[in-house]
Amino acid sequence: MKILLIGEYSRLHNSLKEGLQKLGNDVTILGFKDGFKDFPVDFPIEKKWDSGFLKKVKLLILVVTGFDISSYLTYRQFWKKRNNFKEFDVVQLINENSFLCDYRHEKKILDFIFKHNNKVFLLSVGDDYMYVKYNFEHPENPSIVQPYLAGKIEDRNFTNVLKFRNKTFENLHHYIYKNIQGVIATDVDYHIPLQKHPKYLGLIPSPINLEKIAKIELEIKNRIVIFHGINRESYFKKGNDFFEKALEIIKEKYQEKVEVLIAENVPYKEFINLYNKAHITLDQLYGHDQGSNGLEGMSKGKVVFTNASEVFEKQYNLTEKVAINALPDVDYLVNELSFLIENPGEIKAIGNRARAFIEKEHDYLKIAEKYLNVWKS
């Protein structure tokens, strides 16, 4: 099959491409490189006028005229190479806003995609209209909407979520759903809002290329190493305030038994070196299923504090823990960490089950086959 994957999100489309190619398909990726992560893209699009002085000029023009220069320049990049994006058997969009444009320019790009290709599918990964709508209507459901509603996140730092509550993005959502063959969820969090939708094709877990992620045998000698990576931009979205408070208690309680490694705004090489040393990693709260960082930690055989709720366990028929379900509760986090520190054999056991779970449910070749079956049907 000739396949075009549009957009990148935490290496999802790159891993899928590798699996699809190994199964004999012709695969192209078009889109942004997922910011600083800089993932490989066959036809890269650059977000222009998006920083420094030019961004200020852009915002001024947007306020005065309503015209978004960044969206126009993205559209122009696409249009110059448009003949490379025709006559594919399957096109898959990473998101409802794959090109990060305003409604006008996003729709113009998608018009071309829908007109000149056979089948187009949509992924529900990251924020989109259905996911955001569901979580504002169900604030009891664990999601990043919870810290926002608690007043921890300002509107200006939540625009990537709030934009899907605007009428224009609602219109874009309906336009996309009218033209796609179907939508696929990549984890339980996105599966829940879509379950009754007529165009929902089911959940296909994120692909992980285990040939590129070696399992790290956990050797516990003198101290148990706990790693906490902090990104200030997503500090409250990930629940880092709860993790930090829990770690302060743990450091005081187990001074001779633990070593806590914290990485904040460090180069990737230094970050991954600290990460690889850890037995336990603290990833995120507010959800049911793991994100890319959690899946990578589990692939390496670590104990990951992440989203692993009862809903997730039921989805995969799990009877034993493959990760620790992290909750926004300091006492709970302290208790879970304390149990592992006092029972180091459990760290190895959970780490081994985590790797086995990834091999069973997320292997990139198995996942690529699932996509092919859905696309063909």
Side-chain angles (χ1 to χ4, degrees):
M1 290 179 76
K2 187 181 177 186
I3 301 161
L4 175 63
L5 304 176
I6 296 180
E8 182 52 289
Y9 187 85
S10 295
R11 210 183 185 280
L12 193 159
H13 267 168
N14 267 272
S15 296
L16 179 57
K17 176 184 176 181
E18 290 159 2
L20 291 167
Q21 285 181 321
K22 205 155 189 176
L23 296 174
N25 298 280
D26 178 6
V27 188
T28 301
I29 299 181
L30 157 69
F32 301 101
K33 298 183 176 184
D34 201 8
F36 71 91
K37 298 174 187 175
D38 198 30
F39 292 119
V41 172
D42 299 300
F43 289 94
I45 294 176
E46 182 184 351
K47 185 82 169 174
K48 297 187 176 182
W49 287 50
D50 205 43
S51 62
F53 175 73
L54 286 178
K55 184 175 183 178
K56 293 179 180 178
V57 175
K58 176 187 79 170
L59 292 174
L60 178 62
I61 294 171
L62 183 63
V63 170
V64 173
T65 68
F67 184 75
D68 185 351
I69 290 179
S70 289
S71 294
Y72 169 74
L73 293 174
T74 293
Y75 166 72
R76 288 295 302 165
Q77 290 174 75
F78 171 86
W79 194 250
K80 285 178 182 178
K81 297 181 179 180
R82 65 190 181 280
N83 289 329
N84 294 288
F85 315 129
K86 298 165 62 175
E87 299 175 1
F88 284 86
D89 299 307
V90 167
V91 178
Q92 181 163 273
L93 303 169
I94 197 79
N95 184 263
E96 290 183 10
N97 195 203
S98 299
F99 294 94
L100 304 180
C101 290
D102 58 13
Y103 172 82
R104 172 187 174 189
H105 292 97
E106 191 90 12
K107 186 174 181 297
K108 287 175 77 171
I109 295 171
L110 292 175
D111 278 339
F112 182 90
I113 295 293
F114 290 134
K115 183 178 179 181
H116 294 282
N117 294 282
N118 185 18
K119 295 180 179 180
V120 182
F121 296 85
L122 171 71
L123 286 187
S124 180
V125 55
D127 304 311
D128 60 27
Y129 173 77
M130 293 288 286
Y131 176 71
V132 171
K133 181 176 184 289
Y134 181 88
N135 286 307
F136 271 97
E137 291 176 352
H138 299 83
E140 75 286 352
N141 187 59
S143 77
I144 57 171
V145 167
Q146 289 183 327
Y148 171 76
L149 294 175
K152 294 182 177 182
I153 306 173
E154 297 180 14
D155 284 6
R156 61 189 176 90
N157 296 324
F158 212 55
T159 54
N160 285 341
V161 178
L162 295 177
K163 71 182 181 183
F164 290 104
R165 305 192 79 196
N166 294 337
K167 190 65 179 176
T168 52
F169 278 95
E170 181 182 349
N171 292 340
L172 183 63
H173 160 80
H174 291 305
Y175 164 74
I176 291 171
Y177 270 66
K178 181 180 178 181
N179 287 280
I180 57 172
Q181 268 59 51
V183 57
I184 298 164
T186 59
D187 73 32
V188 173
D189 294 284
Y190 310 117
H191 163 73
I192 292 171
L194 288 168
Q195 288 179 84
K196 296 180 181 179
H197 198 285
K199 287 212 169 179
Y200 182 45
L201 301 174
L203 191 163
I204 302 180
S206 294
I208 303 293
N209 187 343
L210 291 167
E211 295 173 19
K212 298 191 173 188
I213 304 177
K215 183 176 185 291
I216 300 172
E217 293 299 328
L218 297 180
E219 294 184 13
I220 301 173
K221 296 178 180 178
N222 299 322
R223 293 172 182 262
I224 291 167
V225 181
I226 304 172
F227 175 80
H228 184 206
I230 300 174
N231 180 344
R232 286 291 159 185
E233 289 185 10
S234 59
Y235 182 81
F236 290 108
K237 292 178 185 177
K238 299 287 187 181
N240 286 302
D241 49 333
F242 291 98
F243 284 139
E244 285 200 301
K245 290 173 184 175
L247 282 178
E248 287 303 314
I249 296 170
I250 289 295
K251 285 191 289 185
E252 182 66 29
K253 186 177 179 182
Y254 297 103
Q255 295 180 28
E256 304 301 320
K257 289 188 175 183
V258 301
E259 178 183 0
V260 176
L261 304 177
I262 296 176
E264 181 176 355
N265 299 328
V266 299
Y268 179 77
K269 189 175 181 180
E270 182 180 342
F271 174 93
I272 205 66
N273 185 44
L274 293 173
Y275 183 89
N276 285 338
K277 289 179 181 178
H279 303 105
I280 300 169
T281 67
L282 307 183
D283 178 35
Q284 64 183 14
L285 313 175
Y286 306 119
H288 294 287
D289 207 337
Q290 304 86 52
S292 57
N293 290 338
L295 292 173
E296 182 174 343
M298 293 167 69
S299 301
K300 291 182 175 181
K302 299 183 182 300
V303 176
V304 185
F305 278 65
T306 185
N307 305 328
S309 74
E310 291 182 4
V311 178
F312 157 76
E313 291 178 336
K314 185 177 180 181
Q315 176 71 30
Y316 291 100
N317 298 310
L318 297 172
T319 57
E320 295 181 291
K321 289 182 179 180
V322 297
I324 305 300
N325 186 35
L327 300 175
D329 181 329
V330 173
D331 291 338
Y332 166 84
L333 295 173
V334 169
N335 288 337
E336 291 292 322
L337 285 166
S338 297
F339 175 79
L340 293 170
I341 294 164
E342 293 169 11
N343 298 274
E346 275 297 300
I347 295 175
K348 286 191 174 183
I350 294 172
N352 287 334
R353 291 199 297 267
R355 173 73 181 197
F357 171 77
I358 299 296
E359 290 173 354
K360 180 185 178 186
E361 302 291 354
H362 290 270
D363 177 73
Y364 77 125
L365 290 176
K366 294 177 183 176
I367 297 304
E369 288 177 345
K370 288 184 178 182
Y371 273 100
L372 289 170
N373 289 335
V374 168
W375 291 338
K376 288 174 183 176
S377 66

